[in-house]
Structures are given as structure tokens and as C-alpha cells.
């Protein structure tokens, strides 16, 4: 299988250990270290910075070149030419749908948009002040109670049904998280509407006043979902895979992914962008915040700038920037003080030596935060929107893992605690 080899020499071990090296279709090679455990050696890589934990055919990222491909297609082309649901189909199936497949898939998603009425009781148990992510993690986990006995993870048709169900129900649950917080009645999904349009309807409609959802805002929402659809083995997707590797129920696995996404170092960043813009408060304060960002002795960071993987530009941020302009224009918000601060920050960061040298470009969270705020989505719901968009990625990875032989995920450790000792008598 592998022609290339790596050799590992360890002090005190007589012969070098030979390890196979594998080539992906594109991207870095990997050294197969699986045999090391039989020689009593573990590899050490906290944060998994150098570790490929699986094979995958779904998504490829080259952070240095600003490339993000889903099943080979660049994210910019997908954002421009296809819908979020087409992208879901692509992630799950491997190809974009033809017109018959598209119609069948969209029908299936429509068919599954409602949630069991018992789910309403779950929401009643949450305080009105609960964080929307706290509710989402709970109700998505609770779905496993409705679809457990009839679900066989080894059966591809069952996995497909679970994937359609969770993609379809996420916007319904996301909107319910909002409605519960503001004390309004839950809105039922409208199956004659598109995916994003339906979400905005369930968010902003009331039984006495169904909203008229603008095409530009629906398109912006669809693109936000699409741009978040997958990002290979990030923390939440790896969490879904790890939970899935035990054979757990898929809705419980997705709930574990939602929990991992919640943190500010992952999905919570766009919420932090808006909090910081509000803290800056006025254009006259920007300079002071820029100085703080550059000060080595100040841990302060400008939220929405920089990315661990993308070191030139984030291709999703480029698309999002265009959508941001359209949305602010549509809503007549170009002169809103908060958005003026955002625009000015963006300009300074793109021109300032400190940011240019360190390749700190506005990231996807910077623009998505601004767009969501402009649409009227409360900041507490931003990560819920991210979770809704990321669901097809999570479930596609879960399905991919279960489609071929897999092992339970079980990392090892460098133990630094006490060696064996006895309790003093
Ligand atoms: N503001 C000011 N300075 C920054 C920022 C920032 N946002 N980000 C990085 N830097 C500086 C660091 O101080 C460091 O400077 P130095 O070389 O003089 O010491 C240099 O840039 C490199 O920083 P690292 O921390 O090594 O970069 P890393 O790749 O580890 O961090 C991260 C990436 C965590 C995203 C960081 O840029 C950051 O904290 N950004 C703000 C939070 C944010 O927007 N997160 C969302 C990321 S996108 C996503 O999750 C979808």
C-alpha cells in the first residue's frame, strides 16, 4: 500500500523502527504510527496539531493558500452557485444532486422539519433566561429518546434517515430556542418555504403576524449556513466522531458536537465580536483598542481577526464580506454606529503593519457576526446558527466513519502522576 517509509530511532532501542508513510489525494503525507504501541511507545501531540485521526473524503483545507474544498468543490463556487441543501447532499452523498435527486432530497428534508410535540415540554422546563446553546444541546440530545429503538447504526438507510431528520429539525429547534427566550409561541415550519426562508419565518413570525421574509435576507441566511457546513476535523466534528465511535445514538453524538462548539475558542467567537464592538462603543475609541491589541503586555485581542488554520485569507470570509455589504444595504444600516465601528476596524486592520505582518485578516466570524446582528438575530443565538449550519458536516463525518470498519477513539497519555504507592498504615 505504501512505498514511502519513515524511520524512528529511539535512544536505547537497538534498531530503527520503520513506519509506513501514506499520501493523501492532496495535502501532507501521514506517518502511520499505529505499530508503536506494540513496542511500548506512544506518540505525544496535545491539541492534535500533527495528528491525522482518520481517513476522510469530505473536506480539504489548505490554510496557507486559503483553500476550502467540499468533495473537491471550492467553497466560493458552492456559495455562488448552489444552495445550503445542495451542499448538505454533496457532503453526505459525495456528489451534487441532479434535478431528480435534488427534488427528492428537498422533499425529504421538508417532510422531517417538525419535531415531536413532547419536545415543547422540554422547553417549558428551561428558564426563559437559559442560554440558547444550553437549550439546544439538551433538546438535540433528547431527540435520541424519540429515535433510538428503531435505529440501527450499521444500516446505511437508517443512517441516511437520521441525517435527513437532524438536518431538517435543526432550524426548527434553533428557532424554538429563540422563541422560548422571548416568551413567544413556537412557530410551526412552513413546508412551502425554502430552508433559510423557513428558518427566518419561524424566528421572526408570530401566529398573528407572519413576517414577509426578504429574498436578500433569506439568501444571506442560506449562505451563512452553507459557509459553516463543514470544516474537516475541527473540535466539534472530532467530538462527534469520538462519541460516534462508541456506537452511540447519532442525536446524542450531535449533542456532544454542539457542546464542543459552544466554547468561545470555537463557535462562540462571532458572539464575542459583537460584544467587543459594543464595548468599543464609539469610533473615537477605536484607536485605543487597536493600541491595546498591539501591546505585547496586554492579553487583549481584537475579536474576529486571525485564524489558526487560514494564514493568508479565509475564503469563507471573502464570500461573507460581499453578503455583509448586501445585507447592510438592504436594511439601510450602512450608517448604524455599530456597523460603522466594524467597517473602520476592518479598514485599519487591513492597512496596519502589525496586522499585515502577522496575517491577521478579518475572519468568517467577524462578518457573520455583523450580518446576523443586522438581520436581528440576538447574539446569544449566533452559535446556534453555526450549529445549524455545521450539522450536515457533523452527520456526514459520523456516517463516513460508520460506513467502513472503525475503532473506538481512545487516546493515551503521558502519565506524570505518582508511581504505585501504598496507603500509609
Ligand atoms: N488581535 C491582536 N493580535 C493578535 C490576534 C488578534 N485577534 N490574533 C493573533 N494576534 C497576534 C498574537 O499576539 C501573536 O503576536 P506575536 O507574534 O507578536 O506574539 C501573533 O498574532 C500570532 O498569534 P497566535 O496566537 O500564535 O496565532 P494563533 O494561530 O494561535 O491564533 C486565533 C489564532 C486563536 C484565532 C487568534 O488569532 C485569536 O485569538 N483571534 C481572535 C479570536 C477569534 O476571532 N477567533 C475566531 C477564529 S475563526 C473560527 O473559529 C471559525
Amino acid at each position: 500500500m505504501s512505498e514511502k517509509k519513515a524511520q524512528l530511532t529511539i535512544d536505547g532501542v537497538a534498531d530503527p523502527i520503520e513506519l509506513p508513510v501514506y499520501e493523501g489525494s492532496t495535502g501532507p503525507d501521514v506517518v502511520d504510527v499505529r505499530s508503536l504501541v506494540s513496542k511500548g511507545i506512544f506518540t505525544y501531540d496535545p491539541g492534535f496539531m500533527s495528528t491525522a485521526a482518520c481517513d476522510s473524503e469530505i473536506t480539504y483545507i489548505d490554510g496557507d493558500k486559503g483553500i476550502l474544498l467540499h468533495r473537491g468543490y471550492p467553497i466560493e463556487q458552492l456559495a455562488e452557485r448552489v444552495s445550503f441543501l445542495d451542499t448538505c447532499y454533496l457532503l453526505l452523498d459525495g456528489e451534487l444532486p441532479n434535478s431528480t435527486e435534488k427534488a427528492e432530497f428537498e422533499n425529504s428534508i421538508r417532510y422531517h422539519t417538525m419535531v415531536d410535540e413532547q419536545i415543547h415540554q422540554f422547553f417549558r422546563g428551561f428558564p426563559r433566561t437559559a442560554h440558547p446553546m444550553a437549550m439546544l444541546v439538551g433538546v438535540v440530545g433528547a431527540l435520541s429518546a424519540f429515535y433510538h429503538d428503531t435505529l440501527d447504526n450499521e444500516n446505511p438507510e437508517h443512517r441516511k434517515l437520521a441525517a435527513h431528520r437532524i438536518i431538517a429539525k435543526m432550524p426548527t429547534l434553533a428557532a424554538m430556542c429563540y422563541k422560548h427566550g422571548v416568551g413567544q409561541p413556537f412557530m410551526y415550519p412552513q413546508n412551502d418555504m425554502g430552508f433559510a426562508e423557513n428558518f427566518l419565518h419561524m424566528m421572526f413570525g408570530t401566529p398573528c403576524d407572519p413576517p414577509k421574509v426578504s429574498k436578500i435576507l433569506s439568501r444571506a441566511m442560506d449562505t451563512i449556513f452553507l459557509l459553516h457546513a463543514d470544516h474537516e476535523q475541527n473540535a466539534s466534528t472530532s467530538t462527534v466522531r469520538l462519541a460516534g465511535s462508541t456506537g452511540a445514538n447519532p442525536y446524542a453524538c450531535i449533542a456532544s458536537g454542539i457542546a464542543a462548539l459552544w466554547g468561545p475558542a470555537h463557535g462562540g467567537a462571532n458572539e464575542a465580536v459583537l460584544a467587543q464592538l459594543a464595548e468599543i462603543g464609539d469610533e473615537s475609541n477605536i484607536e485605543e483598542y487597536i493600541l491595546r491589541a498591539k501591546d505585547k503586555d496586554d492579553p487583549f485581542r481584537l475579536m474576529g481577526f486571525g485564524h489558526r488554520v487560514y494564514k493568508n485569507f479565509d475564503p469563507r470570509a471573502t464570500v461573507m464580506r460581499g453578503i455583509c455589504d448586501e445585507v447592510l444595504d438592504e436594511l439601510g444600516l450602512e450608517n448604524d454606529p455599530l456597523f460603522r465601528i466594524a467597517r473602520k476596524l476592518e479598514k485599519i486592520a487591513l492597512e496596519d503593519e502589525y496586522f499585515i505582518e502577522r496575517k491577521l485578516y478579518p475572519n468568517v466570524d467577524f462578518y457573520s457576526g455583523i450580518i446576523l446582528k443586522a438581520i436581528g438575530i440576538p447574539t446569544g443565538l449566533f452559535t446556534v446558527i453555526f450549529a445549524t449550519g455545521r450539522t450536515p458536516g457533523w452527520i456526514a463525518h459520523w456516517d463516513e466513519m460508520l460506513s467502513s470498519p472503525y475503532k473506538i477513539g481512545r487516546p493515551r497519555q503521558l502519565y506524570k502522576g505518582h508511581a504505585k504507592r501504598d496507603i500509609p498504615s
Side-chain angles (χ1 to χ4, degrees):
M1 177 178 170
S2 166
E3 301 278 304
K4 287 193 197 170
K5 302 261 182 257
Q7 286 196 335
L8 178 67
T9 309
I10 297 174
D11 275 354
V13 178
D15 298 321
I17 302 166
E18 202 156 86
L19 302 166
V21 176
Y22 307 136
E23 286 176 30
S25 45
T26 183
D29 294 350
V30 299
V31 180
D32 181 348
V33 295
R34 281 176 295 179
S35 62
L36 290 182
V37 67
S38 65
K39 299 178 170 56
I41 299 161
F42 298 152
T43 55
Y44 181 64
D45 185 18
F48 310 118
M49 300 281 287
S50 300
T51 296
C54 61
D55 298 1
S56 184
E57 297 179 4
I58 301 175
T59 290
Y60 174 73
I61 300 173
D62 184 331
D64 291 329
K65 297 193 183 126
I67 292 172
L68 169 59
L69 310 177
H70 292 322
R71 303 284 191 183
Y73 294 120
I75 191 71
E76 299 89 332
Q77 288 182 29
L78 293 169
E80 195 184 316
R81 301 195 19 207
V82 307
S83 67
F84 172 66
L85 283 186
D86 292 336
T87 308
C88 294
Y89 188 95
L90 174 70
L91 293 173
L92 288 167
D93 185 79
E95 295 297 336
L96 283 165
N98 62 29
S99 54
T100 314
E101 290 160 341
K102 182 179 169 80
E104 276 172 13
F105 182 64
E106 288 180 356
N107 275 337
S108 173
I109 297 299
R110 262 186 219 118
Y111 181 75
H112 291 293
T113 49
M114 277 201 298
V115 293
D116 192 294
E117 287 290 300
Q118 289 296 106
I119 291 284
H120 293 213
Q121 309 296 332
F122 279 85
F123 277 97
R124 298 220 163 89
F126 292 123
R128 293 270 182 218
T129 51
H131 193 286
M133 282 297 276
M135 292 190 268
L136 192 70
V137 78
V139 291
V140 170
L143 288 179
S144 53
F146 297 87
Y147 310 107
H148 186 67
D149 295 344
T150 52
L151 199 149
D152 172 9
N153 280 355
E154 301 304 316
N155 183 327
E157 283 308 309
H158 286 205
R159 292 203 299 272
K160 185 169 157 186
L161 178 59
H164 291 200
R165 272 198 180 122
I166 188 70
I167 291 168
K169 292 182 198 309
M170 281 297 280
T172 311
L173 293 171
M176 288 172 92
C177 291
Y178 171 63
K179 289 296 194 192
H180 179 71
V182 292
Q184 289 182 4
F186 298 132
M187 293 291 283
Y188 287 103
Q190 287 292 309
N191 287 353
D192 57 347
M193 291 184 176
F195 189 88
E197 183 188 10
N198 195 13
F199 170 67
L200 292 174
H201 157 81
M202 290 186 285
M203 278 288 296
F204 298 117
T206 66
C208 31
D209 188 16
K212 194 158 164 23
V213 181
S214 113
K215 281 211 166 6
I216 290 187
L217 299 192
S218 299
R219 188 179 150 251
M221 203 62 240
D222 198 77
T223 311
I224 288 180
F225 289 141
L226 185 153
L227 293 175
H228 285 98
D230 190 40
H231 216 224
E232 52 115 310
Q233 312 306 325
N234 56 84
S236 56
T237 303
S238 298
T239 304
V240 171
R241 277 190 180 256
L242 197 57
S245 76
T246 69
N249 180 290
Y251 304 97
C253 296
I254 299 296
S256 70
I258 294 171
L261 185 74
W262 190 358
H266 192 3
N270 52 11
E271 200 177 327
V273 170
L274 262 290
Q276 196 168 82
L277 289 178
E279 188 189 312
I280 295 174
D282 191 88
E283 283 180 69
S284 61
N285 299 327
I286 292 180
E287 200 48 46
E288 176 198 332
Y289 280 85
I290 295 279
L291 287 175
R292 282 190 65 195
K294 294 188 204 173
D295 182 355
K296 278 218 160 307
D297 300 323
D298 190 334
F300 174 84
R301 286 195 167 191
L302 218 47
M303 287 292 138
F305 291 84
H307 196 279
R308 173 54 60 79
V309 177
Y310 295 112
K311 293 301 178 196
N312 267 321
F313 67 96
D314 177 343
R316 300 166 305 167
T318 313
V319 177
M320 207 73 103
R321 188 181 198 281
I323 305 277
C324 188
D325 288 341
E326 276 177 33
V327 167
L328 294 184
D329 192 40
E330 162 83 358
L331 297 170
L333 289 172
E334 309 92 325
N335 290 321
D336 180 280
L338 194 81
F339 300 123
R340 283 177 66 96
I341 296 174
R343 282 275 178 257
K344 201 157 174 197
L345 265 186
E346 179 198 32
K347 188 166 180 309
I348 293 174
L350 289 173
E351 291 169 358
D352 189 296
E353 238 354 86
Y354 174 93
F355 291 90
I356 296 171
E357 247 172 38
R358 289 167 182 74
K359 304 188 171 187
L360 300 172
Y361 300 91
N363 58 42
V364 67
D365 290 314
F366 182 74
Y367 296 112
S368 69
I370 297 172
I371 299 171
L372 293 174
K373 169 82 178 161
I375 292 178
I377 311 261
T379 47
L381 217 77
F382 285 8
T383 320
V384 168
I385 306 274
F386 190 158
T388 306
R390 182 55 56 86
T391 297
W394 288 331
I395 203 76
H397 281 274
W398 170 80
D399 180 59
E400 182 181 64
M401 183 180 65
L402 268 62
S403 305
S404 36
Y406 60 96
K407 275 193 177 310
I408 183 171
R410 177 41 170 109
R412 305 306 296 259
Q413 63 177 3
L414 174 64
Y415 178 68
K416 289 184 162 178
H418 288 286
K420 181 187 176 289
R421 56 181 175 157
D422 296 317
I423 298 173
S425 42

